[in-house]
Amino acid sequence: MPLFIKNMTFKEQVLQLLNEALLEKPEIFLIDFSISDSYKIIVTLDGDNGVILQDCIDISRAIDNNIDREEIDYALEVASVGIGSPLKLVRQYIKNIGRTLIVKTASETIEAELVDANQDFITLSWSAREPKKLGKGKETVQKKQEIPYSEIKEAVVTVNFN
């Protein structure tokens, strides 16, 4: 039965329903949530193992079935985070360990494999061609760098179609 709690704002009510629905699916997590002035609700999700259509349907129904459209006319959009979208949460970095990222900081852009992620920083690893320490020519060296989240301006998983 639809409900509308008078002492809660519309946004608070939707957020409560969303959080309750996410408790039923602990592998799914919220990336973004907004409500426009015209009551368009946009929910963006990600998951430890990705997000399938049924996850979006379930979350959408959990919200839609508990709000009375007679009280507020709204639109609801529930979607998974898109390919190529910047990573926002530590949980997203952790789920992408082993994949190649393009990471932009204030001073550089690095394309490398994400080999570790914890609550404070990520660790990237890549091969680079550098001048030999002795003699002429270049040699391939393995590089590794830890980057604190506070220094990351943007990080995106690369998409390889090979």
Side-chain angles (χ1 to χ4, degrees), residues 133-156:
K133 291 181 181 26
L134 295 173
K136 294 181 179 181
K138 292 188 174 190
E139 62 184 348
T140 301
V141 295
Q142 195 63 29
K143 301 268 216 172
K144 198 172 224 181
Q145 183 174 342
E146 291 179 350
I147 303 173
Y149 293 109
S150 60
E151 293 181 15
I152 298 172
K153 302 291 182 209
E154 182 180 80
V156 177

Side-chain angles (χ1 to χ4, degrees), residues 45-102:
L45 305 171
D46 200 350
D48 295 325
N49 301 306
V51 177
I52 61 172
L53 179 60
Q54 190 61 51
D55 296 325
C56 295
I57 291 168
D58 293 344
I59 299 296
S60 179
R61 284 184 182 153
I63 295 168
D64 209 30
N65 290 346
N66 290 292
I67 296 177
D68 188 351
R69 283 189 187 269
E70 300 294 319
E71 294 282 338
I72 293 182
D73 186 25
Y74 65 91
L76 175 61
E77 178 182 307
V78 178
S80 63
V81 69
I83 291 177
S85 295
L87 303 180
K88 293 183 175 184
L89 304 176
V90 171
R91 194 166 171 181
Q92 288 180 290
Y93 286 93
I94 292 169
K95 87 170 211 166
N96 283 294
I97 290 173
R99 298 186 73 187
T100 302
L101 301 184
I102 298 174

